[in-house]
Amino acid sequence: MRGHLKDYAWGVVDGLRDWAGGPTGGPQAELWFGAHPSGPAVLRDAPGELPDAVGEVPLLVKLLAAASPLSIQLHPDAATAAAVLAAQQSGEAPALLSDDAEKTELLLAVQPFSVLAGWRDLTDAAALLHRVGVGEAAATLRAGQRAGAIRHLLALPAAQVAPAVAAIGDAAADLGWPAAAAEAMAAIASHYPQDPGVLVAATLQHETLQPGDAVFVPAGTPHAYVHGMGVEVMAASDNVLRLGLTPKTVAVEAALGALRHDRAPVVARGTAAGAWLEPAGAPFAVATAAGPVAVQAPAGSYRLVLAVHADAVVGVAGVTYLLRPGDALVVEAAEPLLSATSGGLAVVARSCPPVPTATVTP
């Protein structure tokens, strides 16, 4: 199949043209490979959407190119999603979610990717907030009350927000934050000079992913992708609750109610080609095929192979399939062992029962 192109404003102008079939002259943010109704993929060799014959599609894979920061967001766990969706359907709550699924995700960097994921140390974050003039929120945060501090920040008057945001990049550098983290704060502030979400972003941990690095984001954990290119693998859901850096709805109480303080993102550095990333709590596993290293994906699970750099060759039951960059191949659980190789880079995702999540002390 071929991906469904999303032209969100934060995307790189023509940034996915090599995978999306050419330039459009506008932002190209995401290519969706799956059957989610918000962006179903199409067959490469025939018109129309992904047919019912492919069966249940439990995963959604995206090729993502971010020119500017995405919103601060989190995805609700299964219980929260079901409760919020039920309230929507009964008219007791505004429309915030699109389905009742728990959305966990993994971002694999294809190019260097700047991300915010999980919580920054309370003392460091509070010091920055104090330095830019929001001392009350800093004191609340220092007391361990993250939700209270976020409520306070998002309710600040515009006259207080603008100078605090303008100062945040220099303040981070002055306080000795790593250069990449200070630069990320400055970049976020430049894109959102009036948004109190920039101050919320200061409470999140910054990471720079190099190609081959990945970050796993469990449902209920806050994150924001700042700049870069990568492949996302996630449960087939489009549920998002936002806490700033967006003109879209910021559902403060719904998002804070969906926080899971017993979970945290996990960063994996430099996973070797052919090795499976299987994060605890994820309903999927991810591997890369590169050069002479092949990926073997056994029967019994849904599998998707995406050709990223150069062609990929996939063998299933004695049949060989050639994928050009931007092509994806779906293999159902009943099909036998799959073997994938690529002269450049191919990403292989498979569904699997999640390994229990380890408890994180709040």
Side-chain angles (χ1 to χ4, degrees):
M1 56 184 168
R2 299 289 296 179
H4 181 106
L5 181 63
K6 295 288 189 177
D7 59 354
Y8 305 136
W10 49 261
V12 177
V13 174
D14 291 331
L16 298 175
R17 61 187 176 189
D18 293 339
W19 300 271
T24 59
Q28 296 180 342
E30 295 180 346
L31 274 176
W32 288 25
F33 298 89
H36 195 281
S38 295
V42 296
L43 295 179
R44 184 188 68 181
D45 301 322
E49 298 179 354
L50 193 66
D52 292 339
V54 172
E56 182 180 357
V57 180
L59 300 181
L60 178 58
V61 176
K62 301 178 182 180
L63 188 61
L64 182 152
S68 59
L70 284 67
S71 59
I72 301 171
Q73 55 188 251
L74 56 86
H75 312 300
D77 61 21
T80 304
V84 172
L85 193 65
Q88 286 179 200
Q89 293 171 341
S90 68
E92 298 173 8
L96 296 172
L97 303 183
S98 62
D99 53 68
D100 62 356
E102 177 167 319
K103 181 179 175 181
T104 55
E105 65 184 45
L106 180 144
L107 175 69
L108 174 72
V110 172
Q111 297 174 0
F113 215 128
S114 172
V115 304
L116 301 174
W119 300 114
R120 176 170 287 279
D121 175 79
L122 285 171
T123 302
D124 287 351
L128 183 64
L129 294 178
H130 181 81
R131 176 67 68 95
V132 299
V134 286
E136 186 176 342
T140 302
L141 187 62
R142 197 175 287 113
Q145 301 174 27
R146 284 195 176 97
I150 290 171
R151 287 189 183 94
H152 184 89
L153 292 171
L154 294 178
L156 287 171
Q160 192 174 1
V161 169
V165 168
I168 205 162
D170 288 341
D174 291 344
L175 288 171
W177 283 28
E183 290 166 4
M185 291 307 306
I188 294 168
S190 71
H191 281 97
Y192 296 99
Q194 307 291 330
D195 193 329
V198 177
L199 305 176
V200 177
T203 71
L204 303 181
Q205 178 64 33
H206 179 266
E207 302 283 354
T208 300
L209 305 179
Q210 298 300 329
D213 294 346
V215 59
F216 171 64
V217 182
T221 58
H223 59 285
Y225 300 147
V226 181
H227 179 272
M229 183 175 178
V231 174
E232 279 189 297
V233 179
M234 61 189 65
S237 171
D238 195 30
N239 283 339
V240 179
L241 296 169
R242 298 177 176 86
L243 283 170
L245 309 185
T246 179
K248 298 180 180 179
T249 299
V250 175
V252 180
E253 293 307 318
L256 293 178
L259 285 173
R260 289 288 299 266
H261 295 289
D262 60 338
R263 297 178 176 180
V266 177
V267 176
R269 301 287 184 187
T271 302
W276 286 98
L277 280 170
E278 301 181 77
F284 53 74
V286 181
T288 57
V293 180
V295 172
Q296 307 289 329
S301 63
Y302 171 91
R303 289 149 289 169
L304 184 147
V305 183
L306 172 62
V308 181
H309 294 319
D311 296 345
V313 177
V314 185
V316 184
V319 180
T320 299
Y321 301 87
L322 177 65
L323 306 182
R324 305 294 187 188
D327 290 346
L329 179 73
V330 170
V331 181
E332 292 188 271
E335 298 291 335
L337 178 76
L338 169 159
S339 178
T341 59
S342 173
L345 174 68
V347 176
V348 184
R350 61 179 172 87
S351 61
C352 59
V355 176
T357 305
T359 300
V360 176
T361 302

